[in-house]
Amino acid sequence: LEKGIMLQAYTPGQHRIVCPVCAGGSSGERSLAVQIEEDGATAKWICHRGSCEWTGGSSLIQRAGGKGAASSGGEGGGGGERSGKKNNGAAGSGSFVGTGMMNKRQGAGVGGAVKLPPPEALERIGPGQLTPAAAQWGAWLVGRGISLETAERNGLASQRVFSPVAGGQVDALVFPYMRDNELVNIKYRGPEKSFWQVKGAEKIMFGLDDIAGQREIVIVEGEVDKLALEEAGFKNVVSVPDGAPGKVKEGELPKPEEDRKFEYLWNCRAALDPVSRIVIATDADAPGQALAEELARRLGKERCYRVTWPKGCKDANEVLQKEGVVSLRGSIDNAEGFPLRGLFRFSDFGDDIASYFSVEESSEMRGVSTGWKSVDRHYRVVPGELTIVTGVPNSGKSEWVDALMCNLAVQHGWTFALCSMENKVHEHARKLVEKYTGEPWFEGRYSNRARMRPEVMRAGLHWLDNQFVLIRHEDDELPSVDWILGLARAAVMRHGIRGLLIDPYNELDHKRPQGQTETEYVSQMLTRIKKFAQHYDVHVWFVAHPRQLHNWRGEAPGLYDISGSAHFINKCDNGVVVHRNRDEKLGSLREVTINIAKVRNKVAGSIGDPKLEYNLSNGRYEDLK
């Protein structure tokens, strides 16, 4: 008593009352479990509300008024004495047949004492002689595939009781809500499919004692569905007490003490928390699916599995009646894991995988032609991949990427977004139009051919305007990768780009958080670029300069020579080193080696070093003869 714990009876076993420390939250939940030991002399308690969790123990030698163990009187609906005599014998005409339920209690709801019916008011439903009302409900259950033995094991009964729906006395079907073999609540079903519960009683799940100590359980939407599953051999089943919501409630989950619609889950935490696998077998209609989602949100989707009922069946009882026990068992056994954001099985992508098996040689999924046969043998362009391009200064790496994009635009109709910080807009336009038309913009120093005519230039600019968009930073600050990717997303939506050029790495804004190394920064930056490429099915070319090469004698650098981090080669899908010959003894000075140093996707290419010849007058590259 000094702890504020006052029980109706001090008999050995577990008792539930409102916690004197947290008062059961705003709902007055009976969250304090008090365990009276077998000797009747000691007690332990724990509050199952997460915001309280008050625990302790005490001796029961001193009780209020010096009383010993409390009697079992006062548990009937009127609070009078009971003889404790069971009335399970055969009944004559109009007599009552006991249900066999023991240790019933009144409890204390939000509004005070809860009036639960005495055992003699409940007319047992089960095998043997029954009262007329119980027999009528028994026949109704049998008609739905529920045996009288199953009804009796679950404590079903009939009771003459006032129906708030009908406004008078009716013979109602009783679903007793038990916990630790004690009656906590009753759900009534009236003759006209009306439902109500005992006013002020604690909300728990129907069949709660059947899941005690179970590692796997099934949750259904209605009591009859629980009975149907028992007919199929599943006893580890509970039903929600209040049916399904109309739809999933948006936003964050409410706090447990404010979650009134699902307070029964929090009241049953002691039984639900240890469960490792929860099969949610709610109805197939929209409210049932909303209930499944709400249950999974609260119970943890990682341990929840969802049942799909056979076509034409809404719930477990319909499957039992229409398809039979075998089909019902199969539906439960084949429950699939509740979808988790970011967690998939290969079968979730079955259609994509099957279509990949059937792709034609010319399909983009196997890579599109670069326009150079020698390069195609080692490198084909696959949407959604990242290619890192490097090379020493003045090797033509940016020129080669421009020529590649022009080939893709002409041959495959691709469009591109260009973020080229080292090119002035008019110079970049000249280079691209020269590659498209095959004619020089000017004549003189770099070309002995006549310059293109004005109408050719205008046609080239028209093509350029249709195939390329520019990403330009219009102030003095350097652009960041996130800023570029944001505009690239807009270019996908507005212009349908298939390729993105970022050139070069060292011209970007590389402000990084204090304490973050350049290696960590580069790793996270490339991860964001790859996610963009994969999500929008865009191929990204990222040009990066090598670090300063000491004692350089004209040899080609490697991908590990890129300034900044080895992650450039580790994270890319393809690595290309563009290297121009600078020694006349080794061949033409216009000879360019396209060293394919890394190819992650063997379907699209392989390591190799094809050679091209650069045409100075128009900026095009051609296969060596």
Side-chain angles (χ1 to χ4, degrees):
L1 287 177
E2 65 183 12
K3 301 291 186 181
I5 300 176
M6 293 178 286
L7 307 179
Q8 292 180 336
Y10 291 83
T11 54
Q14 190 177 94
H15 305 259
R16 284 270 187 157
I17 63 170
V18 175
C19 176
V21 174
C22 66
S26 60
S27 63
E29 171 191 346
R30 295 202 295 173
S31 57
L32 188 70
V34 182
Q35 179 68 36
I36 307 296
E37 303 298 342
E38 291 297 327
D39 58 9
T42 56
K44 297 178 181 178
W45 59 85
I46 180 172
C47 179
H48 289 289
R49 290 186 69 249
S51 58
C52 179
E53 297 185 345
W54 177 48
T55 60
S58 180
S59 171
L60 298 179
I61 299 300
Q62 298 292 329
R63 291 210 184 99
K67 294 181 181 180
S71 68
S72 59
E75 294 187 18
E81 296 183 356
R82 283 173 39 209
S83 65
K85 181 179 179 181
K86 299 179 185 177
N87 187 6
N88 290 330
S93 176
S95 64
F96 295 103
V97 183
T99 63
M101 292 186 293
M102 300 296 293
N103 298 324
K104 290 177 285 295
R105 61 184 178 183
Q106 286 179 286
V110 178
V114 176
K115 294 183 179 180
L116 296 171
E120 56 269 21
L122 304 179
E123 306 171 24
R124 161 189 164 273
I125 297 176
Q129 191 171 1
L130 304 173
T131 65
Q136 185 175 358
W137 279 115
W140 179 83
L141 289 166
V142 170
R144 302 195 67 162
I146 310 301
S147 67
L148 293 179
E149 288 79 9
T150 296
E152 183 173 48
R153 197 195 72 81
N154 286 273
L156 270 63
S158 175
Q159 182 187 352
R160 188 71 178 173
V161 65
F162 176 80
S163 166
V165 179
Q169 297 287 318
V170 298
D171 290 316
L173 178 61
V174 171
F175 295 103
Y177 279 65
M178 311 290 292
R179 182 172 54 208
D180 302 325
N181 203 32
E182 295 184 4
L183 184 62
V184 174
N185 193 359
I186 287 178
K187 185 173 182 179
Y188 293 99
R189 179 188 176 109
E192 301 300 326
K193 201 179 180 180
S194 55
F195 298 92
W196 68 96
Q197 299 177 42
V198 175
K199 184 178 180 181
E202 180 184 359
K203 293 292 183 71
I204 63 172
M205 306 183 86
F206 178 67
L208 187 59
D209 286 349
D210 286 339
I211 67 169
Q214 297 288 329
R215 304 296 294 175
E216 299 186 9
I217 68 170
V218 182
I219 299 178
V220 294
E221 191 173 327
E223 295 82 1
V224 176
D225 293 325
K226 169 183 164 47
L227 305 179
L229 284 173
E230 185 164 327
E231 296 296 336
F234 298 98
K235 291 184 179 179
N236 55 332
V237 184
V238 288
S239 170
V240 302
D242 295 328
K247 61 180 182 179
V248 176
K249 188 175 182 180
E250 300 295 334
E252 298 292 327
L253 287 176
K255 297 178 180 179
E257 58 269 19
E258 300 171 355
D259 199 9
R260 299 301 300 273
K261 176 66 178 176
F262 294 90
E263 63 180 295
Y264 57 85
L265 289 179
W266 307 108
N267 293 342
C268 298
R269 269 188 58 184
L272 295 173
D273 284 353
V275 177
S276 58
R277 176 184 168 92
I278 301 173
V279 176
I280 299 179
T282 52
D283 290 3
D285 55 14
Q289 297 307 300
L291 174 60
E293 178 68 25
E294 293 286 13
L295 291 173
R297 292 173 70 195
R298 290 162 173 80
L299 296 170
K301 291 186 177 181
E302 68 279 358
R303 59 175 179 160
C304 290
Y305 294 76
R306 187 163 58 185
V307 167
T308 300
W309 300 120
K311 188 176 181 180
C313 296
K314 188 186 78 167
D315 53 34
N317 189 230
E318 280 196 11
V319 177
L320 176 65
Q321 295 180 82
K322 295 180 179 180
E323 306 289 337
V325 167
V326 174
S327 179
L328 183 54
R329 286 194 62 88
S331 297
I332 300 299
D333 292 340
N334 294 321
E336 296 184 353
F338 219 91
L340 294 174
R341 183 179 178 86
L343 184 64
F344 304 95
R345 301 180 66 178
F346 277 102
S347 57
D348 296 326
F349 302 91
D351 292 342
D352 290 340
I353 296 172
S355 64
Y356 184 45
F357 181 77
S358 304
V359 296
E360 302 288 338
E361 176 70 28
S362 58
S363 169
E364 287 187 352
M365 299 178 73
R366 300 180 67 171
V368 298
S369 172
T370 63
W372 304 294
K373 292 182 179 179
S374 60
V375 176
D376 284 348
R377 286 193 287 268
H378 301 282
Y379 174 71
R380 295 173 68 89
V381 181
V382 178
E385 291 189 348
L386 168 64
T387 296
I388 298 294
V389 181
T390 191
V392 297
N394 204 31
S395 287
K397 48 188 178 292
S398 297
E399 282 276 344
W400 178 77
V401 175
D402 283 351
L404 172 61
M405 290 188 294
C406 285
N407 289 348
L408 295 172
V410 170
Q411 296 178 16
H412 308 290
W414 279 31
T415 53
F416 301 88
L418 307 177
C419 184
S420 181
M421 279 76 74
E422 291 183 332
N423 274 308
K424 297 177 181 178
V425 173
H426 60 270
E427 280 295 321
H428 208 174
R430 174 187 65 77
K431 294 176 183 179
L432 293 170
V433 171
E434 284 182 340
K435 290 173 174 58
Y436 172 65
T437 62
E439 299 180 18
W441 188 276
F442 295 117
E443 59 183 328
R445 293 182 62 87
Y446 67 89
S447 176
N448 294 323
R449 297 175 54 188
R451 67 182 301 187
M452 66 181 71
R453 299 185 306 278
E455 58 269 25
V456 174
M457 181 271 294
R458 286 192 290 271
L461 289 179
H462 179 74
W463 170 84
L464 187 66
D465 204 45
N466 287 331
Q467 303 302 132
F468 296 88
V469 294
L470 299 172
I471 295 177
R472 306 284 295 183
H473 215 274
E474 296 180 346
D475 52 34
D476 294 335
E477 295 184 3
L478 295 176
S480 67
V481 166
D482 290 334
W483 179 82
I484 294 171
L485 294 181
L487 286 174
R489 292 186 188 96
V492 172
M493 303 300 178
R494 181 169 293 186
H495 302 287
I497 65 167
R498 305 301 311 279
L500 168 65
L501 169 66
I502 304 175
D503 180 15
Y505 163 73
N506 64 304
E507 292 286 342
L508 299 178
D509 179 10
H510 297 303
K511 293 178 183 177
R512 57 180 188 264
Q514 187 176 2
Q516 186 182 52
T517 66
E518 185 175 16
T519 297
E520 293 170 338
Y521 167 78
V522 169
S523 175
Q524 294 177 13
M525 175 191 67
L526 294 176
T527 295
R528 295 197 297 275
I529 293 174
K530 289 192 66 175
K531 284 184 177 179
F532 164 82
Q534 293 171 1
H535 183 76
Y536 292 100
D537 210 26
V538 169
H539 195 105
V540 179
W541 290 270
F542 197 177
V543 178
H545 294 308
R547 64 178 183 270
Q548 186 174 356
L549 301 175
H550 298 287
N551 302 318
W552 182 63
R553 293 181 174 85
E555 70 276 6
L559 293 177
Y560 280 112
D561 292 320
I562 296 176
S563 177
S565 171
H567 281 303
F568 280 106
I569 185 173
N570 296 336
K571 294 232 172 185
C572 69
D573 297 296
N574 310 284
V576 178
V577 179
V578 178
H579 188 66
R580 179 171 63 85
N581 177 39
R582 288 171 169 81
D583 189 346
E584 290 183 341
K585 297 178 182 179
L586 300 177
S588 171
L589 296 182
R590 293 188 297 168
E591 180 180 294
V592 178
T593 300
I594 310 300
N595 181 14
I596 311 301
K598 179 184 178 181
V599 177
R600 191 189 303 275
N601 181 5
K602 67 180 182 181
V603 172
S606 61
I607 292 173
D609 53 355
K611 291 177 170 53
L612 302 175
E613 185 174 25
Y614 178 65
N615 187 323
L616 184 62
S617 66
N618 57 25
R620 288 181 173 180
Y621 290 79
E622 299 172 356
D623 286 301
L624 283 178
K625 304 300 183 182

